[in-house]
Amino acid sequence: MPTPPTRAPILVAPAAFRGTLRAPQVAAALARGLEQGGWPVDPCPIADGGAGTLEVLLPALGGETAAVAVGGREVGIGLVDEGAAAIVELAPVLDGDAATSAPAGELILAAAATGARVVIAGVGDARPADGGAGAATAIREAGGLDAELVALCDVRTPVDRVADALAAAGTVAGAAAAALGRRLDALASQLPRDPRDVTWSGAGGGLAGALWAVGARLESGAAFVLDALDADGRMRAARAVVVGEGRLDLGTLAGKAAGELATRARQSGVPCFAVVGERAIDPFGARILDLQAVLEAGDPAALEAAGRRLAAIV
């Protein structure tokens, strides 16, 4: 009797649900549900320069962890290519709406001091109150950076349009957005190079633009990570793709990992589904991403159940 053909797997590629679940946790829960529904899965946690970037990049690039001292505490970084490149996440050293972004600059300097010739810095999810000015000052006062600096950005919005984007997404009220816009505009005008109108410069609350002002190259964090994970090749071998993030909104369309992968899936003709903590995007936005279905699930049990539901409709 002939052996039945093997089903193509489902590529399960969520980003972290910021503040609640890491990307591997989300992927594992969705995978359990899909497997219970009879589907093989290819777990592929993703990131875009924000939460989880170091965690998903390091295994893909064959690196190792290390620690550097920043402000009297040990901070974990990644070293790849035998230490020739260092990977850091900047948001964790900036507590909430940090008054100064200087610790981010100090972390970049400490990573370069390991001997790395390239420092890959994830700026996503950072929201320093100084728009990145402190980080730029720290790097300048150290005499500049003796390494190439690549800033991985999670939104392509220029710094002078960040406030409008946040207001449009409903994450910042109108008056507060206007005040934020004025503050970021004033801070940007005082940097060594003016980052206003520079694509990606608004990532990290303007931190990306401040780093660009002292020589950083700004790149799409989502594209960088997806390429490192060979997401395109894995997607083409898959029956469908499942993306995920904590909040599906207009920001998803502006460079977030879920939006980038959904766009690639649409271009490749691979069906794409989304499981998110909160859906805050209108039907038109969902059509732009060409999502076949959007399910809401905010904890492991709900994510597993969402996987089972997807197994029935993929």
Side-chain angles (χ1 to χ4, degrees):
M1 186 172 182
T3 303
T6 302
R7 273 180 160 182
I10 307 298
L11 183 66
V12 180
F17 285 23
R18 185 161 62 95
T20 55
L21 295 168
R22 295 163 36 246
Q25 292 176 304
V26 179
L30 288 171
R32 286 194 298 272
L34 284 162
E35 288 170 339
Q36 289 164 15
W39 284 98
V41 298
D42 177 10
C44 180
I46 62 176
D48 48 27
T53 296
L54 177 59
E55 182 177 28
V56 303
L57 265 184
L58 205 55
L61 297 178
E64 60 183 11
T65 58
V68 295
V70 177
R73 61 170 165 162
E74 294 281 294
V75 178
I77 68 170
L79 295 176
V80 300
D81 195 16
E82 297 183 343
I87 306 171
V88 299
E89 284 186 34
L90 301 183
V93 298
L94 303 177
D95 299 322
D97 296 327
T100 176
S101 58
E106 293 164 6
L107 175 56
I108 290 169
L109 289 164
T114 65
R117 297 191 297 274
V118 179
V119 177
I120 301 165
V123 304
D125 295 327
R127 292 291 180 269
D130 67 354
T137 298
I139 291 172
R140 292 177 68 199
E141 290 182 346
L145 193 64
D146 203 15
E148 179 184 1
L149 177 58
V150 179
L152 300 184
C153 307
D154 60 343
V155 290
R156 63 178 63 91
T157 312
V159 67
D160 54 316
R161 295 174 202 153
V162 166
D164 291 341
L166 292 174
T171 53
V172 176
L180 173 63
R182 290 191 296 270
R183 178 162 54 82
L184 289 176
D185 191 66
L187 289 164
S189 68
Q190 298 168 15
L191 292 168
R193 291 196 295 169
D194 192 336
R196 289 172 293 186
D197 283 334
V198 175
T199 303
W200 302 107
S201 63
L207 178 57
L211 295 177
W212 174 86
V214 292
R217 185 173 80 247
L218 308 186
E219 290 193 11
S220 163
F224 187 98
V225 172
L226 292 177
D227 291 347
L229 297 174
D230 187 28
D232 287 351
R234 295 163 72 174
M235 177 177 63
R236 287 191 291 269
R239 167 66 181 84
V241 177
V242 180
V243 299
E245 62 181 344
R247 177 183 164 95
L248 181 71
D249 59 21
L250 290 176
T252 306
L253 302 172
K256 294 289 188 180
E260 175 69 19
L261 186 53
T263 298
R264 293 186 181 200
R266 183 191 67 215
Q267 293 169 345
S268 298
V270 179
C272 187
F273 301 79
V275 180
V276 299
E278 177 187 3
R279 176 174 178 160
I281 195 170
D282 60 22
F284 178 72
R287 283 199 300 275
I288 291 175
L289 294 172
D290 197 23
L291 297 171
Q292 306 301 302
V294 179
L295 308 181
E296 288 186 318
D299 59 56
L303 287 164
E304 189 171 324
R308 290 194 295 270
R309 288 177 59 193
L310 286 174
I313 61 176
V314 168

